[in-house]
Amino acid sequence: MAITPLPNSRTEADGSAVVRVLSYNIRSMRDDEDALARVIRACAPDLVLVQEAPRFFRWRKHAARLAAKSELVMLSGGATAAGPLLMCSLRASVEHTEDVLLPLTPGLHRRGFATAVVRFAGARVGLISCHLSLRSDERYAQAGMLLDRVAAMGAPHTIVAGDLNERPGGRSFTRLAKELQDGWAVSPWGGEYTSTPVDPHQRIDAILATPGVEFLGCGVPQDLDPADLRAATDHLPVLAAVRIPAS
């Protein structure tokens, strides 16, 4: 059965905005960069919340090149946020950006958030890209820090997306879903599982949003080139269309 396409980006007469949001773990661009850019372009996103962006030698050059190939611009994040990165189309007007580093647990990878507040015509929204810890106790604490950051964004609505490193029902995922809408649970579209492209069997990536953001569909796109998906990275992308009320 054919899947109904997600709505295209648009601004409504009442000032609200329909926005396409993509969340994608790109494994530091260690795979096929051209395939990665083709996947992103095919999703036609207004916003891309990236995890595992390049963090080392000439990382800004690599991230800028991916943005250009994807017909987007860099917004914030990268090495300065320990991996999360934000990209956007020229449709977005940028109001504020901030990279946040989380407390470092000795022996574990440093984590952080890439954050921004943007406008689409009359609609104003906060953004947070995250990649939570592999260790359960640290991941749970980071979920709490993420909710604190949502509360401190100063925007009427906020979209959170990332690699949660946990399936629905886990402690950290549940902690987030009690306060934020889980896009797949609210308005499932496309595929559910995000890991791995060769053998999709678990959903550990998600797009979430504060109450007031309307999900029009959220899931893994099913009409993308399977060869590109396998070549691009070790996760599948999550795409959502949301309606953001006018501020």
Side-chain angles (χ1 to χ4, degrees):
M1 184 175 65
I3 298 174
T4 303
L6 285 182
N8 292 324
S9 306
R10 63 179 184 270
T11 302
E12 307 283 21
D14 63 359
S16 63
V18 174
V19 176
R20 292 170 67 98
V21 183
L22 183 69
S23 181
Y24 208 1
N25 183 318
I26 64 171
R27 193 158 66 165
S28 299
M29 295 172 60
R30 297 201 305 264
D31 301 288
D32 187 328
E33 185 178 310
D34 291 329
L36 178 63
R38 285 194 296 269
V39 169
I40 294 172
R41 287 199 309 270
C43 292
D46 300 291
L47 300 166
V48 183
L49 290 81
V50 169
Q51 302 82 49
E52 291 194 34
R55 294 183 294 115
F56 300 112
F57 184 65
R58 293 184 176 174
W59 67 268
R60 287 185 177 86
K61 179 179 179 180
H62 295 305
R65 188 174 65 240
L66 176 63
K69 287 184 176 182
S70 304
E71 300 176 358
L72 300 165
V73 295
M74 286 179 59
L75 183 51
S76 75
T80 48
L85 172 76
L86 300 174
M87 301 190 295
C88 66
S89 71
L90 295 178
R91 185 178 175 226
S93 298
V94 182
E95 184 176 302
H96 173 74
T97 67
E98 183 178 0
D99 300 331
V100 179
L101 290 175
L102 302 183
L104 175 63
T105 300
L108 296 181
H109 173 62
R110 189 70 178 260
R111 304 284 175 172
F113 304 143
T115 79
V117 177
V118 300
R119 288 181 179 271
F120 295 91
R124 183 167 175 262
V125 63
L127 308 172
I128 305 176
S129 178
C130 65
H131 187 184
L132 302 188
S133 176
L134 288 166
R135 198 169 88 177
S136 177
D137 58 341
E138 185 180 47
R139 184 167 62 244
Y140 187 77
Q142 290 171 352
M145 296 174 203
L146 181 55
L147 292 173
D148 290 343
R149 179 58 52 171
V150 170
M153 287 296 289
H157 310 285
T158 298
I159 295 170
V160 175
D163 180 349
L164 304 184
N165 268 321
E166 188 172 273
R167 303 179 189 189
R171 282 202 316 151
S172 302
F173 204 124
T174 299
R175 185 176 192 178
L176 295 173
K178 283 182 177 179
E179 297 194 29
L180 304 173
Q181 302 178 79
D182 173 9
W184 169 263
V186 170
S187 185
W189 170 90
E192 177 179 6
Y193 299 137
T194 63
S195 175
T196 61
V198 175
D199 176 29
H201 64 281
Q202 58 180 348
R203 181 163 75 97
I204 58 174
D205 305 84
I207 298 176
L208 308 105
T210 52
V213 174
E214 180 186 359
F215 278 96
L216 306 176
C218 179
V220 176
Q222 300 294 283
D223 57 351
L224 302 179
D225 185 337
D228 276 351
L229 290 172
R230 290 192 296 270
T233 179
D234 62 345
H235 284 242
L236 290 170
V238 182
L239 179 64
V242 299
R243 180 179 285 109
I244 304 168
S247 302

